[in-house]
Amino acid sequence: MAHKEETIGKFAEMIARAALMAAGWSGVSKPETEEPYDILAADPFSGDIKRFQVKTIRDRMDSRGYLTVSGRKNTGLPYTKADTDYFIGVLIEADVTKAYMFECRGITDYWMPKRNEGKREWIELKLNLDRDFLATIENEAEAV
């Protein structure tokens, strides 16, 4: 039987892949070898391949007033742009599951910013599949 933490991690990766597909990313896949990223996907507009590291979000709303994601590797060092382009943080609670994407900045801890804080932007990835939205992206890509 899988360890609880492994189950949570694998679930988070599945949610992240589904969220990327719902947002129009294509070629969403996992590497066959151990890599510093968890997912590869092609940007829906440019077609550029991007690397994603998936982490579960720690809810610190009650104690500190924000959500946080560890930017550390198993070695304790931060992930850098050489390792991954983006993080996808997955919030898993009894009544809600959400996914947020944000750029790797080479730091050890990321926290969800308050509105209008500028650089530290977390973009929520919707988990519902909108067929009309996907058709719009497909039409825009064909026009380029």
PDB file of all heavy atoms in Angstrom, residues 5 10 12 17 21 23 27 30 36-37 50 55 64 73-75 87 92-94 104 111 119-120 133 136-137 139-140:
ATOM      1  N   GLU A   5       1.833  10.177   2.073  1.00  0.00           N
ATOM      2  CA  GLU A   5       2.462  11.310   1.398  1.00  0.00           C
ATOM      3  C   GLU A   5       2.661  11.035  -0.099  1.00  0.00           C
ATOM      4  O   GLU A   5       2.516  11.936  -0.912  1.00  0.00           O
ATOM      5  CB  GLU A   5       3.801  11.655   2.056  1.00  0.00           C
ATOM      6  CG  GLU A   5       3.662  12.154   3.486  1.00  0.00           C
ATOM      7  CD  GLU A   5       2.776  13.392   3.601  1.00  0.00           C
ATOM      8  OE1 GLU A   5       2.912  14.317   2.766  1.00  0.00           O
ATOM      9  OE2 GLU A   5       1.946  13.425   4.525  1.00  0.00           O
ATOM     10  N   LYS A  10       1.094  12.039  -5.733  1.00  0.00           N
ATOM     11  CA  LYS A  10       0.637  11.542  -7.036  1.00  0.00           C
ATOM     12  C   LYS A  10      -0.709  12.157  -7.419  1.00  0.00           C
ATOM     13  O   LYS A  10      -0.947  12.488  -8.577  1.00  0.00           O
ATOM     14  CB  LYS A  10       0.535  10.010  -7.043  1.00  0.00           C
ATOM     15  CG  LYS A  10       1.869   9.314  -6.885  1.00  0.00           C
ATOM     16  CD  LYS A  10       2.803   9.630  -8.030  1.00  0.00           C
ATOM     17  CE  LYS A  10       4.116   8.893  -7.875  1.00  0.00           C
ATOM     18  NZ  LYS A  10       5.092   9.273  -8.874  1.00  0.00           N
ATOM     19  N   ALA A  12      -1.764  15.125  -6.479  1.00  0.00           N
ATOM     20  CA  ALA A  12      -1.466  16.511  -6.854  1.00  0.00           C
ATOM     21  C   ALA A  12      -0.953  16.579  -8.291  1.00  0.00           C
ATOM     22  O   ALA A  12      -1.337  17.475  -9.054  1.00  0.00           O
ATOM     23  CB  ALA A  12      -0.457  17.125  -5.891  1.00  0.00           C
ATOM     24  N   ARG A  17      -1.808  18.025 -14.010  1.00  0.00           N
ATOM     25  CA  ARG A  17      -1.874  17.693 -15.438  1.00  0.00           C
ATOM     26  C   ARG A  17      -3.263  17.995 -16.002  1.00  0.00           C
ATOM     27  O   ARG A  17      -3.391  18.551 -17.101  1.00  0.00           O
ATOM     28  CB  ARG A  17      -1.488  16.227 -15.663  1.00  0.00           C
ATOM     29  CG  ARG A  17      -0.004  15.967 -15.418  1.00  0.00           C
ATOM     30  CD  ARG A  17       0.489  14.621 -15.930  1.00  0.00           C
ATOM     31  NE  ARG A  17      -0.318  13.482 -15.568  1.00  0.00           N
ATOM     32  CZ  ARG A  17      -0.164  12.744 -14.456  1.00  0.00           C
ATOM     33  NH1 ARG A  17       0.769  13.065 -13.580  1.00  0.00           N
ATOM     34  NH2 ARG A  17      -0.929  11.708 -14.227  1.00  0.00           N
ATOM     35  N   MET A  21      -4.284  20.756 -18.989  1.00  0.00           N
ATOM     36  CA  MET A  21      -5.079  20.410 -20.174  1.00  0.00           C
ATOM     37  C   MET A  21      -6.324  21.283 -20.266  1.00  0.00           C
ATOM     38  O   MET A  21      -6.669  21.761 -21.353  1.00  0.00           O
ATOM     39  CB  MET A  21      -5.452  18.938 -20.142  1.00  0.00           C
ATOM     40  CG  MET A  21      -4.284  18.042 -20.466  1.00  0.00           C
ATOM     41  SD  MET A  21      -4.743  16.305 -20.658  1.00  0.00           S
ATOM     42  CE  MET A  21      -4.793  15.785 -18.961  1.00  0.00           C
ATOM     43  N   ALA A  23      -6.598  24.240 -19.264  1.00  0.00           N
ATOM     44  CA  ALA A  23      -6.165  25.589 -19.631  1.00  0.00           C
ATOM     45  C   ALA A  23      -5.628  25.654 -21.057  1.00  0.00           C
ATOM     46  O   ALA A  23      -5.142  26.699 -21.488  1.00  0.00           O
ATOM     47  CB  ALA A  23      -5.100  26.078 -18.648  1.00  0.00           C
ATOM     48  N   GLY A  27       0.246  18.319 -25.174  1.00  0.00           N
ATOM     49  CA  GLY A  27       1.397  17.446 -24.982  1.00  0.00           C
ATOM     50  C   GLY A  27       1.758  17.260 -23.523  1.00  0.00           C
ATOM     51  O   GLY A  27       2.918  17.025 -23.197  1.00  0.00           O
ATOM     52  N   LYS A  30       4.579  13.277 -18.473  1.00  0.00           N
ATOM     53  CA  LYS A  30       5.538  13.065 -17.401  1.00  0.00           C
ATOM     54  C   LYS A  30       6.826  12.522 -18.004  1.00  0.00           C
ATOM     55  O   LYS A  30       6.779  11.728 -18.925  1.00  0.00           O
ATOM     56  CB  LYS A  30       4.999  12.031 -16.408  1.00  0.00           C
ATOM     57  CG  LYS A  30       3.810  12.488 -15.609  1.00  0.00           C
ATOM     58  CD  LYS A  30       3.281  11.380 -14.725  1.00  0.00           C
ATOM     59  CE  LYS A  30       4.411  10.765 -13.929  1.00  0.00           C
ATOM     60  NZ  LYS A  30       4.041  10.057 -12.739  1.00  0.00           N
ATOM     61  N   PRO A  36      14.312  17.073 -12.476  1.00  0.00           N
ATOM     62  CA  PRO A  36      13.936  18.037 -11.437  1.00  0.00           C
ATOM     63  C   PRO A  36      12.539  18.644 -11.655  1.00  0.00           C
ATOM     64  O   PRO A  36      12.065  19.413 -10.833  1.00  0.00           O
ATOM     65  CB  PRO A  36      15.021  19.107 -11.520  1.00  0.00           C
ATOM     66  CG  PRO A  36      15.612  18.969 -12.869  1.00  0.00           C
ATOM     67  CD  PRO A  36      15.424  17.538 -13.282  1.00  0.00           C
ATOM     68  N   TYR A  37      11.887  18.291 -12.737  1.00  0.00           N
ATOM     69  CA  TYR A  37      10.520  18.741 -13.005  1.00  0.00           C
ATOM     70  C   TYR A  37       9.619  17.519 -13.066  1.00  0.00           C
ATOM     71  O   TYR A  37      10.075  16.393 -13.268  1.00  0.00           O
ATOM     72  CB  TYR A  37      10.439  19.545 -14.311  1.00  0.00           C
ATOM     73  CG  TYR A  37      11.009  18.813 -15.498  1.00  0.00           C
ATOM     74  CD1 TYR A  37      10.209  17.958 -16.249  1.00  0.00           C
ATOM     75  CD2 TYR A  37      12.337  18.964 -15.863  1.00  0.00           C
ATOM     76  CE1 TYR A  37      10.725  17.262 -17.328  1.00  0.00           C
ATOM     77  CE2 TYR A  37      12.861  18.268 -16.943  1.00  0.00           C
ATOM     78  CZ  TYR A  37      12.056  17.425 -17.663  1.00  0.00           C
ATOM     79  OH  TYR A  37      12.574  16.731 -18.725  1.00  0.00           O
ATOM     80  N   LYS A  50       7.384  23.883 -21.817  1.00  0.00           N
ATOM     81  CA  LYS A  50       7.718  24.382 -20.475  1.00  0.00           C
ATOM     82  C   LYS A  50       7.761  23.225 -19.493  1.00  0.00           C
ATOM     83  O   LYS A  50       7.082  22.213 -19.661  1.00  0.00           O
ATOM     84  CB  LYS A  50       6.684  25.418 -20.008  1.00  0.00           C
ATOM     85  CG  LYS A  50       6.591  26.639 -20.902  1.00  0.00           C
ATOM     86  CD  LYS A  50       7.886  27.417 -20.900  1.00  0.00           C
ATOM     87  CE  LYS A  50       7.789  28.649 -21.792  1.00  0.00           C
ATOM     88  NZ  LYS A  50       9.032  29.382 -21.872  1.00  0.00           N
ATOM     89  N   LYS A  55       3.895  20.869  -6.463  1.00  0.00           N
ATOM     90  CA  LYS A  55       4.023  20.832  -5.013  1.00  0.00           C
ATOM     91  C   LYS A  55       2.637  20.980  -4.389  1.00  0.00           C
ATOM     92  O   LYS A  55       1.770  21.659  -4.951  1.00  0.00           O
ATOM     93  CB  LYS A  55       4.895  21.990  -4.511  1.00  0.00           C
ATOM     94  CG  LYS A  55       6.335  21.931  -4.959  1.00  0.00           C
ATOM     95  CD  LYS A  55       7.092  20.895  -4.185  1.00  0.00           C
ATOM     96  CE  LYS A  55       8.582  20.987  -4.441  1.00  0.00           C
ATOM     97  NZ  LYS A  55       9.344  20.106  -3.593  1.00  0.00           N
ATOM     98  N   ARG A  64      -0.803  32.272   9.697  1.00  0.00           N
ATOM     99  CA  ARG A  64       0.027  33.333   9.125  1.00  0.00           C
ATOM    100  C   ARG A  64      -0.679  34.199   8.092  1.00  0.00           C
ATOM    101  O   ARG A  64      -0.125  35.186   7.621  1.00  0.00           O
ATOM    102  CB  ARG A  64       1.273  32.732   8.489  1.00  0.00           C
ATOM    103  CG  ARG A  64       2.144  32.017   9.507  1.00  0.00           C
ATOM    104  CD  ARG A  64       3.390  31.501   8.876  1.00  0.00           C
ATOM    105  NE  ARG A  64       4.123  30.697   9.835  1.00  0.00           N
ATOM    106  CZ  ARG A  64       5.108  29.897   9.525  1.00  0.00           C
ATOM    107  NH1 ARG A  64       5.498  29.796   8.269  1.00  0.00           N
ATOM    108  NH2 ARG A  64       5.727  29.198  10.435  1.00  0.00           N
ATOM    109  N   LYS A  73      14.257  21.501  -3.222  1.00  0.00           N
ATOM    110  CA  LYS A  73      14.467  20.130  -3.685  1.00  0.00           C
ATOM    111  C   LYS A  73      14.694  19.256  -2.448  1.00  0.00           C
ATOM    112  O   LYS A  73      14.795  19.762  -1.327  1.00  0.00           O
ATOM    113  CB  LYS A  73      15.709  20.050  -4.567  1.00  0.00           C
ATOM    114  CG  LYS A  73      15.720  20.941  -5.771  1.00  0.00           C
ATOM    115  CD  LYS A  73      17.039  20.740  -6.500  1.00  0.00           C
ATOM    116  CE  LYS A  73      17.376  21.924  -7.351  1.00  0.00           C
ATOM    117  NZ  LYS A  73      18.650  21.767  -8.031  1.00  0.00           N
ATOM    118  N   ASN A  74      14.853  17.959  -2.658  1.00  0.00           N
ATOM    119  CA  ASN A  74      15.160  17.046  -1.549  1.00  0.00           C
ATOM    120  C   ASN A  74      16.474  17.402  -0.864  1.00  0.00           C
ATOM    121  O   ASN A  74      16.677  17.079   0.307  1.00  0.00           O
ATOM    122  CB  ASN A  74      15.219  15.598  -2.038  1.00  0.00           C
ATOM    123  CG  ASN A  74      13.854  15.085  -2.428  1.00  0.00           C
ATOM    124  OD1 ASN A  74      12.833  15.612  -2.001  1.00  0.00           O
ATOM    125  ND2 ASN A  74      13.821  14.064  -3.252  1.00  0.00           N
ATOM    126  N   THR A  75      17.372  18.068  -1.571  1.00  0.00           N
ATOM    127  CA  THR A  75      18.666  18.468  -1.011  1.00  0.00           C
ATOM    128  C   THR A  75      18.551  19.676  -0.089  1.00  0.00           C
ATOM    129  O   THR A  75      19.512  20.021   0.584  1.00  0.00           O
ATOM    130  CB  THR A  75      19.653  18.823  -2.135  1.00  0.00           C
ATOM    131  OG1 THR A  75      19.122  19.949  -2.854  1.00  0.00           O
ATOM    132  CG2 THR A  75      19.877  17.665  -3.081  1.00  0.00           C
ATOM    133  N   PHE A  87       6.070  26.444 -11.204  1.00  0.00           N
ATOM    134  CA  PHE A  87       5.518  25.561 -10.184  1.00  0.00           C
ATOM    135  C   PHE A  87       4.018  25.499 -10.382  1.00  0.00           C
ATOM    136  O   PHE A  87       3.404  26.476 -10.834  1.00  0.00           O
ATOM    137  CB  PHE A  87       5.760  26.119  -8.773  1.00  0.00           C
ATOM    138  CG  PHE A  87       7.156  25.919  -8.272  1.00  0.00           C
ATOM    139  CD1 PHE A  87       8.113  26.902  -8.456  1.00  0.00           C
ATOM    140  CD2 PHE A  87       7.514  24.764  -7.611  1.00  0.00           C
ATOM    141  CE1 PHE A  87       9.398  26.729  -7.997  1.00  0.00           C
ATOM    142  CE2 PHE A  87       8.799  24.582  -7.143  1.00  0.00           C
ATOM    143  CZ  PHE A  87       9.743  25.570  -7.334  1.00  0.00           C
ATOM    144  N   ILE A  92      -5.123  20.826  -1.487  1.00  0.00           N
ATOM    145  CA  ILE A  92      -5.979  19.660  -1.301  1.00  0.00           C
ATOM    146  C   ILE A  92      -6.566  19.727   0.097  1.00  0.00           C
ATOM    147  O   ILE A  92      -5.857  19.563   1.084  1.00  0.00           O
ATOM    148  CB  ILE A  92      -5.175  18.347  -1.463  1.00  0.00           C
ATOM    149  CG1 ILE A  92      -4.488  18.304  -2.825  1.00  0.00           C
ATOM    150  CG2 ILE A  92      -6.083  17.141  -1.261  1.00  0.00           C
ATOM    151  CD1 ILE A  92      -3.460  17.197  -2.963  1.00  0.00           C
ATOM    152  N   GLU A  93      -7.855  20.010   0.150  1.00  0.00           N
ATOM    153  CA  GLU A  93      -8.568  20.032   1.421  1.00  0.00           C
ATOM    154  C   GLU A  93      -9.806  19.161   1.278  1.00  0.00           C
ATOM    155  O   GLU A  93     -10.172  18.765   0.174  1.00  0.00           O
ATOM    156  CB  GLU A  93      -8.933  21.463   1.799  1.00  0.00           C
ATOM    157  CG  GLU A  93      -7.711  22.313   2.076  1.00  0.00           C
ATOM    158  CD  GLU A  93      -8.045  23.694   2.583  1.00  0.00           C
ATOM    159  OE1 GLU A  93      -9.214  24.118   2.488  1.00  0.00           O
ATOM    160  OE2 GLU A  93      -7.124  24.358   3.063  1.00  0.00           O
ATOM    161  N   ALA A  94     -10.446  18.885   2.381  1.00  0.00           N
ATOM    162  CA  ALA A  94     -11.600  17.976   2.383  1.00  0.00           C
ATOM    163  C   ALA A  94     -12.693  18.435   1.419  1.00  0.00           C
ATOM    164  O   ALA A  94     -13.307  17.628   0.735  1.00  0.00           O
ATOM    165  CB  ALA A  94     -12.162  17.830   3.785  1.00  0.00           C
ATOM    166  N   CYS A 104       8.971  30.012 -11.494  1.00  0.00           N
ATOM    167  CA  CYS A 104      10.091  29.673 -10.617  1.00  0.00           C
ATOM    168  C   CYS A 104      10.994  30.894 -10.519  1.00  0.00           C
ATOM    169  O   CYS A 104      11.417  31.448 -11.537  1.00  0.00           O
ATOM    170  CB  CYS A 104      10.872  28.481 -11.180  1.00  0.00           C
ATOM    171  SG  CYS A 104      12.342  28.081 -10.217  1.00  0.00           S
ATOM    172  N   TRP A 111       4.763  32.189  -1.366  1.00  0.00           N
ATOM    173  CA  TRP A 111       3.486  32.355  -0.684  1.00  0.00           C
ATOM    174  C   TRP A 111       2.532  33.106  -1.584  1.00  0.00           C
ATOM    175  O   TRP A 111       2.931  33.916  -2.404  1.00  0.00           O
ATOM    176  CB  TRP A 111       3.652  33.047   0.666  1.00  0.00           C
ATOM    177  CG  TRP A 111       4.275  34.408   0.595  1.00  0.00           C
ATOM    178  CD1 TRP A 111       3.635  35.597   0.495  1.00  0.00           C
ATOM    179  CD2 TRP A 111       5.675  34.711   0.598  1.00  0.00           C
ATOM    180  NE1 TRP A 111       4.539  36.627   0.427  1.00  0.00           N
ATOM    181  CE2 TRP A 111       5.803  36.106   0.501  1.00  0.00           C
ATOM    182  CE3 TRP A 111       6.834  33.933   0.669  1.00  0.00           C
ATOM    183  CZ2 TRP A 111       7.034  36.741   0.475  1.00  0.00           C
ATOM    184  CZ3 TRP A 111       8.059  34.576   0.647  1.00  0.00           C
ATOM    185  CH2 TRP A 111       8.143  35.952   0.549  1.00  0.00           C
ATOM    186  N   LYS A 119       4.887  41.151  -8.643  1.00  0.00           N
ATOM    187  CA  LYS A 119       5.643  40.032  -9.190  1.00  0.00           C
ATOM    188  C   LYS A 119       5.172  38.647  -8.777  1.00  0.00           C
ATOM    189  O   LYS A 119       5.174  37.740  -9.573  1.00  0.00           O
ATOM    190  CB  LYS A 119       7.099  40.153  -8.757  1.00  0.00           C
ATOM    191  CG  LYS A 119       7.998  40.733  -9.765  1.00  0.00           C
ATOM    192  CD  LYS A 119       9.404  40.648  -9.235  1.00  0.00           C
ATOM    193  CE  LYS A 119      10.377  40.760 -10.364  1.00  0.00           C
ATOM    194  NZ  LYS A 119      11.739  40.785  -9.901  1.00  0.00           N
ATOM    195  N   ARG A 120       4.815  38.481  -7.540  1.00  0.00           N
ATOM    196  CA  ARG A 120       4.533  37.137  -7.027  1.00  0.00           C
ATOM    197  C   ARG A 120       3.129  36.684  -7.393  1.00  0.00           C
ATOM    198  O   ARG A 120       2.350  36.324  -6.537  1.00  0.00           O
ATOM    199  CB  ARG A 120       4.719  37.101  -5.520  1.00  0.00           C
ATOM    200  CG  ARG A 120       6.132  37.394  -5.112  1.00  0.00           C
ATOM    201  CD  ARG A 120       6.264  37.362  -3.645  1.00  0.00           C
ATOM    202  NE  ARG A 120       5.445  38.409  -3.066  1.00  0.00           N
ATOM    203  CZ  ARG A 120       5.183  38.545  -1.794  1.00  0.00           C
ATOM    204  NH1 ARG A 120       5.670  37.712  -0.937  1.00  0.00           N
ATOM    205  NH2 ARG A 120       4.433  39.513  -1.347  1.00  0.00           N
ATOM    206  N   PHE A 133     -13.757  27.326 -24.719  1.00  0.00           N
ATOM    207  CA  PHE A 133     -12.457  27.958 -24.482  1.00  0.00           C
ATOM    208  C   PHE A 133     -11.368  27.236 -25.273  1.00  0.00           C
ATOM    209  O   PHE A 133     -10.532  27.864 -25.924  1.00  0.00           O
ATOM    210  CB  PHE A 133     -12.134  27.954 -22.982  1.00  0.00           C
ATOM    211  CG  PHE A 133     -10.736  28.386 -22.668  1.00  0.00           C
ATOM    212  CD1 PHE A 133     -10.351  29.711 -22.812  1.00  0.00           C
ATOM    213  CD2 PHE A 133      -9.794  27.462 -22.228  1.00  0.00           C
ATOM    214  CE1 PHE A 133      -9.051  30.115 -22.524  1.00  0.00           C
ATOM    215  CE2 PHE A 133      -8.498  27.855 -21.943  1.00  0.00           C
ATOM    216  CZ  PHE A 133      -8.118  29.185 -22.089  1.00  0.00           C
ATOM    217  N   THR A 136     -11.514  28.126 -28.869  1.00  0.00           N
ATOM    218  CA  THR A 136     -10.984  29.471 -29.087  1.00  0.00           C
ATOM    219  C   THR A 136      -9.464  29.438 -29.177  1.00  0.00           C
ATOM    220  O   THR A 136      -8.867  30.047 -30.065  1.00  0.00           O
ATOM    221  CB  THR A 136     -11.419  30.420 -27.945  1.00  0.00           C
ATOM    222  OG1 THR A 136     -12.839  30.453 -27.899  1.00  0.00           O
ATOM    223  CG2 THR A 136     -10.885  31.814 -28.146  1.00  0.00           C
ATOM    224  N   ILE A 137      -8.830  28.724 -28.269  1.00  0.00           N
ATOM    225  CA  ILE A 137      -7.366  28.602 -28.288  1.00  0.00           C
ATOM    226  C   ILE A 137      -6.899  27.920 -29.567  1.00  0.00           C
ATOM    227  O   ILE A 137      -5.941  28.360 -30.209  1.00  0.00           O
ATOM    228  CB  ILE A 137      -6.861  27.819 -27.051  1.00  0.00           C
ATOM    229  CG1 ILE A 137      -7.053  28.651 -25.796  1.00  0.00           C
ATOM    230  CG2 ILE A 137      -5.405  27.421 -27.198  1.00  0.00           C
ATOM    231  CD1 ILE A 137      -6.715  27.900 -24.521  1.00  0.00           C
ATOM    232  N   ASN A 139      -8.385  27.874 -32.471  1.00  0.00           N
ATOM    233  CA  ASN A 139      -8.562  28.797 -33.599  1.00  0.00           C
ATOM    234  C   ASN A 139      -7.463  29.858 -33.624  1.00  0.00           C
ATOM    235  O   ASN A 139      -6.967  30.211 -34.682  1.00  0.00           O
ATOM    236  CB  ASN A 139      -9.941  29.454 -33.547  1.00  0.00           C
ATOM    237  CG  ASN A 139     -11.051  28.467 -33.846  1.00  0.00           C
ATOM    238  OD1 ASN A 139     -10.833  27.433 -34.476  1.00  0.00           O
ATOM    239  ND2 ASN A 139     -12.253  28.771 -33.375  1.00  0.00           N
ATOM    240  N   GLU A 140      -7.088  30.361 -32.435  1.00  0.00           N
ATOM    241  CA  GLU A 140      -6.017  31.374 -32.361  1.00  0.00           C
ATOM    242  C   GLU A 140      -4.689  30.781 -32.780  1.00  0.00           C
ATOM    243  O   GLU A 140      -3.902  31.431 -33.472  1.00  0.00           O
ATOM    244  CB  GLU A 140      -5.927  31.949 -30.942  1.00  0.00           C
ATOM    245  CG  GLU A 140      -7.084  32.868 -30.599  1.00  0.00           C
ATOM    246  CD  GLU A 140      -6.968  33.426 -29.204  1.00  0.00           C
ATOM    247  OE1 GLU A 140      -5.878  33.437 -28.617  1.00  0.00           O
ATOM    248  OE2 GLU A 140      -8.024  33.841 -28.672  1.00  0.00           O
TER     249      GLU A 140
END
